[in-house]
Amino acid sequence: MLFLPAAALCCLCSALVAMAAQLIQDDLTLTMRVDGDVSFSCRGTDKCYNGYPYVWWYEKKDTETFTRILLLKLSDCSIASTYNHPQQNDFSAVNNQNGCELKIQTVKLLHSATYCCSCVSVAHRNWVYIFGSGTKLFVTGEQVVKPVVSVYPAASRAHLEGKSSLLCVASAMFPPLVQFSWNRRKENEEEWLPAEGEQLELRESGRTAAILLVDQDSFYTYKYRCSVQHEGGTVEAQTEQEVPALPDPAPPQVASGPSQYQVRLLCVLYTMLIVKSLVYCCGLSLLMIL
């Protein structure tokens, strides 16, 4: 089924009203042990409206709705308001180069959730809320394990429409959340550049897959490479996939005329039919006269 990472849920509302603006949270996931401490970054607050210089922090558990935790002043990251969160005393604010961070001094199992920041911005003279991408906190004793990444050509009928599809699979990782990115280069060049195309992510137990739909080039063959961003680090697929250039269109078929032999044969047949008709008419006329 369609996979929407839990850490990306925080930007769902903002995507409807402010697609171009988004706060930046550096970590997709964080894995902590009980009694440790953790901070969540929130950069890009220069996009926030200076007439309302505040940033909110939200908590989103898997089976619950968004819950406000704190409202912080952007000037000094001091707490401007609290919202009676059940664990209100567990949270505090930190002011550093990554903006107004949310901090949990002593991590507990019940802190496992996605945390995202938000502020007010202005788009087309209207106030809109912009959100961060979210950071999901896993509170567990398990070790972080990097994913195994593989890339394949995906079976699809898209080739018939001048498109090609690629499949990238990340498996055997913990935490299970990853972000996919694609790069490509021309067949005879060394420089890799970001690849563009429509992407669909799918998730099942133990693995996550991304299907990239790309347009085939009219002139060049490209090689594509998939990489996965994970809490354990960025992992690149060991193999590359080739997307060939579009084949030259087939030349139009010119209808050929009849051969000289066929023309002669038709003339003879036509002549015989005329003679037969004349003989039939003459015979019929002779019978009528007699």
Side-chain angles (χ1 to χ4, degrees):
M1 64 178 182
L2 182 62
F3 168 54
L4 181 62
L9 289 174
C10 294
C11 63
L12 181 59
C13 296
S14 62
L16 300 177
V17 293
M19 292 294 290
Q22 185 178 357
L23 301 178
I24 301 171
Q25 294 183 247
D26 296 317
D27 301 301
L28 177 65
T29 62
L30 288 172
T31 302
M32 302 297 300
R33 294 179 179 273
V34 173
D35 295 332
D37 64 272
V38 63
S39 297
F40 306 94
S41 64
C42 181
R43 297 189 293 109
T45 51
D46 56 308
K47 304 182 185 73
C48 301
Y49 176 46
N50 56 17
Y52 196 82
Y54 297 93
V55 60
W56 285 273
W57 274 100
Y58 293 83
E59 178 187 71
K60 170 68 174 69
K61 294 188 176 181
D62 291 342
T63 57
E64 299 178 8
T65 59
F66 289 93
T67 303
R68 282 182 175 178
I69 304 172
L70 297 173
L71 176 65
L72 308 179
K73 293 181 181 179
L74 285 175
S75 57
D76 57 3
C77 296
S78 60
I79 298 176
S81 181
T82 59
Y83 297 96
N84 297 320
H85 188 279
Q87 293 84 42
Q88 188 69 60
N89 295 331
D90 296 343
F91 300 98
S92 60
V94 177
N95 185 3
N96 63 19
Q97 61 182 3
N98 289 330
C100 295
E101 294 188 351
L102 178 70
K103 183 174 183 178
I104 305 176
Q105 185 64 43
T106 304
V107 174
K108 305 172 186 176
L109 287 174
L110 51 78
H111 291 139
S112 295
T114 299
Y115 296 88
C116 62
C117 54
S118 171
C119 71
V120 171
S121 183
V122 176
H124 306 293
R125 299 182 180 180
N126 295 317
W127 282 24
V128 295
Y129 287 93
I130 59 175
F131 286 75
S133 55
T135 298
K136 182 158 187 175
L137 175 64
F138 290 87
V139 182
T140 177
E142 294 188 45
Q143 298 293 325
V144 175
V145 180
K146 289 185 177 182
V148 176
V149 182
S150 305
V151 61
Y152 312 93
S156 173
R157 297 182 62 185
H159 300 276
L160 301 177
E161 302 173 359
K163 294 182 180 291
S164 185
S165 54
L166 301 171
L167 173 66
C168 186
V169 179
S171 59
M173 65 277 189
F174 183 83
L177 297 185
V178 294
Q179 284 183 336
F180 292 90
S181 61
W182 296 83
N183 291 288
R184 72 173 188 175
R185 65 177 176 87
K186 291 181 182 178
E187 187 176 24
N188 298 321
E189 296 183 1
E190 298 297 327
E191 183 182 8
W192 290 92
L193 298 173
E196 297 181 354
E198 299 177 27
Q199 180 169 286
L200 173 67
E201 293 187 14
L202 307 167
R203 183 184 180 187
E204 60 181 26
S205 178
R207 63 177 59 86
T208 302
I211 299 175
L212 181 70
L213 186 65
V214 297
D215 294 319
Q216 290 181 269
D217 194 272
S218 300
F219 304 100
Y220 300 105
T221 293
Y222 282 90
K223 291 185 178 294
Y224 283 78
R225 183 173 64 188
C226 171
S227 61
V228 171
Q229 179 185 347
H230 184 259
E231 184 178 339
T234 300
V235 181
E236 293 184 351
Q238 297 300 311
T239 57
E240 302 168 1
Q241 285 298 323
E242 184 177 279
V243 175
L246 286 171
D248 293 332
Q253 295 184 355
V254 179
S256 57
S259 64
Q260 187 176 6
Y261 172 78
Q262 291 174 323
V263 172
R264 290 180 178 177
L265 183 60
L266 288 174
C267 290
V268 171
L269 179 60
Y270 188 64
T271 302
M272 291 178 62
L273 291 175
I274 292 175
V275 171
K276 181 179 178 181
S277 299
L278 291 175
V279 171
Y280 177 78
C281 291
C282 292
L284 184 59
S285 298
L286 182 60
L287 288 175
M288 291 178 65
I289 295 173
L290 293 176

